[in-house]
Each structure stands twice: as structure tokens, then as C-alpha cells.
Amino acid sequence: MQERSAIVVGALVVLLVLFPLGFLVHVAPRFPGSLAGSLIGISAAILMLVPLIYVAGKRIPVVHRYFAPRIESRTLLSVHIYAGVLAPILGLIHAAHKFDSPMGISLTGIMLVLAISGYVGRGGIEEPLVDAPGS
């Protein structure tokens, strides 16, 4: 990823990590069921499916043959990364800090862990570890 993109994605991940703490100061129990909340939730669900295009293009030969001449792999990876970070943010906005049930808490936690593990796995924190003494 380019330096500017890495900074933007890093900032979005920081927002993603800090955003759930907002439930300490704000709760909107009616927002998830409203029109705006529903549209944001649907957008989040669609964005959660977009990263599968990159995975399918990389792992399934038929899909790879279709996408390889049309879209550059680096472009698919960028779409994969941005959708993978924006979808959980929209999901948290949709939830409106309403964590009443154990199911809601666990799904939100899994969504956050998945997004953060993708960021870390791609090398989001790789550079600081390289500069550590003894490496």
C-alpha cells in the first residue's frame, strides 16, 4: 500500500478501535430500526461481502481468470482493505452503541477482532516491529 493509503487505513482502524467506547456517553436505542439506521446497516452488510471478491479472485481459478485481465490485483486488494475497514465502522454506527444482548456484544466483538486482525495480518504494525531493538 502507498504511504498515504496506509495512513488513511491506519486512522480508520484507530477510529474503529475507539468508536465502541462511545457507548459510555451515548446510546440511541431507536436508531438501528429507523430508516437511516437500516440503510447504514444494509450498506455495512453489502460492504462486508465486497472483500470476498478479492478472496475469490485469489483462490478460485475460474474467478481469477475472469478478473485477471480486467482488474489489477492491487486494485482488488485496495478495495478489499477499504471495504474491510469501512464495513465495521458502518456496522457500529448502525448499532448506535446499543449493546443490550449477549448476541449483539459477541457479534460486535467478532466484527472488531476480524477487522483488526486483517489490519495486523496485512502488516499494519509491521514497520514499528522492524525497528525494534534486537531485530
Side-chain angles (χ1 to χ4, degrees), residues 79-91:
V79 170
H80 173 88
I81 291 170
Y82 281 110
V85 174
L86 289 175
I89 291 172
L90 289 177

Side-chain angles (χ1 to χ4, degrees), residues 30-46 90-91 93-96:
R30 296 184 67 189
F31 181 74
S34 70
L35 177 63
S38 297
L39 291 175
I40 290 172
I42 291 167
S43 300
I46 291 169
L90 289 177
I93 292 171
H94 164 71

Side-chain angles (χ1 to χ4, degrees), residues 110-135:
I110 290 169
M111 181 177 64
L112 291 173
V113 167
L114 182 65
I116 293 167
S117 69
Y119 177 73
V120 172
R122 177 65 184 144
I125 62 167
E126 182 177 297
E127 294 176 51
L129 294 177
V130 171
D131 295 337
S135 57

Side-chain angles (χ1 to χ4, degrees), residues 26-95:
H26 176 263
V27 176
R30 296 184 67 189
F31 181 74
S34 70
L35 177 63
S38 297
L39 291 175
I40 290 172
I42 291 167
S43 300
I46 291 169
L47 273 177
M48 287 180 194
L49 296 175
V50 168
L52 295 176
I53 295 169
Y54 173 74
V55 175
K58 189 173 179 183
R59 305 274 184 225
I60 302 171
V62 173
V63 178
H64 178 72
R65 282 193 301 269
Y66 178 78
F67 280 118
R70 292 172 175 80
I71 301 174
E72 202 173 320
S73 180
R74 187 174 25 191
T75 303
L76 279 177
L77 179 61
S78 293
V79 170
H80 173 88
I81 291 170
Y82 281 110
V85 174
L86 289 175
I89 291 172
L90 289 177
L92 287 173
I93 292 171
H94 164 71

